[in-house]
Amino acid sequence: QVQVVESGGGLVQPGGSLRLSCTASGSIFTLDVMGWYRQAPGKQRELVAVTTSGGTTNYTDSMKSRFAISRDSAKNTMYLQMNSLKPEDTAVYYCNAQISTAWGTGDYWGLGTQVTVSI
């Protein structure tokens, strides 16, 4: 079994920072592309940023200047550092990971972590 679990969400004031973590565990052969997505109330889920096992990163343009994605391959963990947070960043943030196991390769999603930016 494979699990993907996010953590680090919470309530923060505008202009503040948060660091999200996503850890994959279980019978993992390789951990390939990992990404952060978010879904605000009443809106579709959108891509925040992705990172490959080789270290390549890509961001949605509107978030590139304030967010930074990184990963610690030894810990099967990915991070999202979010700075200068705005109320419109309020959303549930989800982790996605492409994971290879003995049974093949698949996309795995976490249950999400809530980020609320408010006074």
Side-chain angles (χ1 to χ4, degrees), residues 26-94:
S27 302
I28 298 171
F29 277 4
T30 60
L31 194 55
D32 304 312
V33 179
M34 298 183 76
W36 288 100
Y37 294 75
R38 70 184 187 184
Q39 188 166 17
K43 295 188 176 182
Q44 289 188 329
R45 190 173 297 189
E46 63 175 344
L47 172 69
V48 175
V50 293
T51 177
T52 69
S53 57
T56 301
T57 60
N58 277 296
Y59 297 84
T60 293
D61 285 345
S62 62
M63 305 174 208
K64 189 172 185 178
S65 63
R66 300 183 295 119
F67 293 0
I69 191 171
S70 62
R71 66 194 283 173
D72 183 335
S73 296
K75 297 180 180 179
N76 286 342
T77 298
M78 172 181 66
Y79 305 97
L80 183 68
Q81 178 67 42
M82 304 187 293
N83 301 321
S84 302
L85 283 162
K86 305 174 182 179
E88 50 264 42
D89 294 317
T90 295
V92 178
Y93 284 70
Y94 296 93

